[in-house]
Amino acid sequence: MAVAAQLFRLEQLDAELDQRLAAVNEARRRLQRDPESEAAERRWQEVRAEETAALREQKALEGELADLEGRIKRDHDRLYGGRIVDSRELASLEKEIEHYRGRRDAVEDRLLAAMERAEGLQQTVVALAQQVDTLHARRQTDRPALEQLVSEGGTIIAGLQAERVALAESIDPRALNTYQRLHAASGHAVSRVADGVCQWCRVVIPPKDIQHARAGQLVACSNCARILYVG
Ligand SMILES: [Zn+2]
């Protein structure tokens, strides 16, 4: 095989290896972690904590409300019980009832808001729990295919690597060096020539360069400096 053809094949192998390795790594990453699922779980826990706090607040306000109702009832009973006759005492009692009623109304408003908030959070918790379940189920469904991809990918990668080692050993070291340098610099060391044109940079290659490349010499494109492969 002419050296340019060897390098062309080498670059094909490198590209396929990169692609396969990336796919296997991605599958491994997805098997280990599922950021979407983790984010949903975190959000679910956060909202559950908010829900617990809202329910606690609701309960505290209910207690406060019951206490105020009790005070109002007690004062009301005293006011109309007939045992208090002093007008100043009665007026003071009325004022106290007024004060408790004002506080009761305020607590009622806050309680209503707290109940609404708790209800909203309860609904969100249910929706998030469903989302977490769906994501877990999807993860379980995806798992076998990902495991297969990792195991099959590993076999294919081993085969490609073996082919690459054998091919690289058969290539002239200087040509291999040139390839490594170009490949490392731009990710693309070899360009195919089709219809007399460098397929990488679209520049027309002089016929004598094509002849030399055909004859097995290492010829670089005068424009993009890539090794020319005349297939
Ligand atoms: Zn070129």
Side-chain angles (χ1 to χ4, degrees):
M1 211 195 286
V3 68
Q6 288 178 311
L7 295 176
F8 184 74
R9 176 65 192 142
L10 192 67
E11 194 150 74
Q12 279 183 329
L13 284 172
D14 279 343
E16 201 179 339
L17 269 168
D18 284 350
Q19 207 184 3
R20 297 269 181 191
L21 280 167
V24 165
N25 285 337
E26 169 66 11
R28 280 216 182 96
R29 195 189 59 74
R30 282 180 60 196
L31 279 168
Q32 273 172 359
R33 288 196 52 201
D34 182 1
E36 206 185 336
S37 184
E38 284 166 22
E41 268 176 60
R42 263 201 307 278
R43 181 87 193 101
W44 176 49
Q45 271 162 13
E46 278 167 13
V47 178
R48 270 176 67 189
E50 284 175 37
E51 183 202 10
T52 306
L55 288 171
R56 201 182 297 130
E57 193 197 348
Q58 184 184 325
K59 213 164 171 200
L61 288 167
E62 279 166 355
E64 210 176 316
L65 185 65
D67 176 60
L68 287 166
E69 298 278 19
R71 283 167 194 266
I72 291 164
K73 189 183 179 308
R74 186 200 60 201
D75 282 0
H76 191 270
D77 290 349
R78 283 173 67 201
L79 186 63
Y80 296 105
R83 275 199 285 181
I84 299 167
V85 286
D86 178 59
S87 67
R88 278 207 321 212
E89 208 178 328
L90 287 170
S92 143
L93 211 48
E94 265 177 348
K95 217 173 154 191
E96 194 174 272
I97 291 175
E98 207 51 44
H99 166 72
Y100 286 144
R101 280 188 175 140
R103 274 180 62 191
R104 181 195 60 191
D105 291 351
V107 169
E108 264 179 355
D109 286 349
R110 281 169 61 204
L111 178 59
L112 221 64
M115 282 165 80
E116 268 175 33
R117 193 164 55 247
E119 203 183 307
L121 287 166
Q122 266 166 351
Q123 284 169 1
T124 310
V125 165
V126 170
L128 284 170
Q130 275 171 356
Q131 196 190 349
V132 167
D133 281 350
T134 307
L135 288 170
H136 280 174
R138 191 188 71 183
R139 195 161 155 71
Q140 287 312 110
T141 313
D142 289 353
R143 181 168 283 277
L146 289 171
E147 281 168 347
Q148 197 182 350
L149 202 151
V150 168
S151 106
E152 284 179 3
T155 310
I156 293 168
I157 286 165
L160 289 169
Q161 278 168 338
E163 189 184 342
R164 194 198 188 280
V165 168
L167 180 62
E169 274 171 0
S170 73
I171 297 173
D172 166 58
R174 277 198 324 200
L176 190 61
N177 239 332
T178 306
Y179 168 86
Q180 308 278 35
R181 188 169 43 78
L182 285 168
H183 190 80
S186 69
H188 221 94
V190 186
S191 176
R192 184 194 271 277
V193 179
D195 300 325
V197 173
C198 168
Q199 294 301 294
W200 183 258
C201 71
R202 315 304 296 179
V203 148
V204 175
I205 306 299
K208 71 169 173 36
D209 281 357
I210 295 178
Q211 272 174 19
H212 289 156
R214 271 225 176 86
Q217 285 181 33
L218 210 60
V219 181
C221 171
S222 61
N223 185 51
C224 70
R226 289 183 168 82
I227 300 159
L228 293 173
Y229 165 59
V230 186

